[in-house]
Amino acid sequence: MTLAGDTLTISVTVNGETTELTVETRRMLSDVIRDDLGLTGTHLGCEHGVCGACTILLDGRPARSCLMLAAQADGSEITTIEGLASTDGTMHPVQQAMHDSHGFQCAFCASGFMLTTVALLAAEPKPSRERIRRELSGNLCRCTGYQSIIDGVETAVALIDTEGSDR
Ligand code: FES
Ligand code: FES
């Protein structure tokens, strides 16, 4: 990290691509992701750590990008929703499962839920419905009542099991 006045230069790997960014010291990671990198699939709802819409994966773990300074991500690997699908456009099993299960309605919350799910299934490939509920409890959805999202996670578990996917 290089500091110059009230800006600094950080290095981050975003969706597999390492890049250097010069940002103001006070800028939030969510704003840099959306405005500087153009990755607008990271949504902003509450902007104070409550709704989970801004969730990204930071070194494989869910993180609320609205609560982090961009400077705190220096040297990290970031995955946003844009990084889940294959380069040929094939959806990640979690995306495919949510699509097949009609998991979302407006989908404002979707990227946060799906990235949280990816981290959950990496840690526990066959979670109980109770564990799924617990792990997703920090993500809010104003449309669905959550049942279809939980169903979608269970569909993802079955899909990954069937495909033997390690993604
Ligand atoms: Fe970050 Fe709501 S926008 S938690
Ligand atoms: Fe609309 Fe979740 S589907 S907020």
Side-chain angles (χ1 to χ4, degrees):
M1 189 186 321
T2 309
L3 186 61
D6 61 354
T7 66
L8 46 78
T9 301
I10 60 172
S11 175
V12 287
T13 301
V14 182
N15 299 331
E17 194 167 323
T18 301
T19 182
E20 289 208 337
L21 296 167
T22 299
V23 296
E24 286 181 70
T25 50
R26 64 181 180 178
R27 285 194 79 207
M28 305 312 291
L29 180 59
S30 52
D31 293 331
V32 170
I33 288 172
R34 286 177 54 82
D35 300 336
D36 296 21
L37 298 176
L39 298 172
T40 53
T42 301
H43 290 164
L44 284 172
C46 65
E47 296 192 61
H48 55 263
V50 175
C51 73
C54 65
T55 301
I56 56 159
L57 297 183
L58 190 78
D59 295 330
R61 300 179 62 183
R64 300 194 172 211
S65 58
C66 77
L67 289 183
M68 286 185 64
L69 294 168
Q72 292 175 286
D74 184 43
S76 299
E77 286 198 22
I78 291 169
T79 303
T80 69
I81 194 67
E82 290 87 350
L84 282 195
S86 302
T87 48
D88 68 0
T90 304
M91 285 193 281
H92 185 283
V94 171
Q95 292 173 306
Q96 186 66 56
M98 289 297 177
H99 174 269
D100 295 348
S101 303
H102 305 286
F104 302 107
Q105 291 179 30
C106 80
F108 188 84
C109 65
S111 55
F113 271 102
M114 288 194 283
L115 288 164
T116 304
T117 299
V118 168
L120 166 62
L121 299 187
E124 170 53 72
K126 294 186 179 176
S128 66
R129 198 164 172 92
E130 188 51 40
R131 172 96 189 261
I132 295 168
R133 285 187 190 284
R134 193 166 64 243
E135 295 291 331
L136 297 184
S137 62
N139 291 76
L140 303 184
C141 174
R142 299 191 69 175
C143 302
T144 63
Y146 300 98
Q147 300 307 317
S148 59
I149 298 173
I150 308 296
D151 291 345
V153 177
E154 292 191 325
T155 301
V157 170
L159 189 60
I160 292 168
D161 196 38
T162 303
E163 292 182 348
S165 172
D166 59 359
R167 294 172 59 202

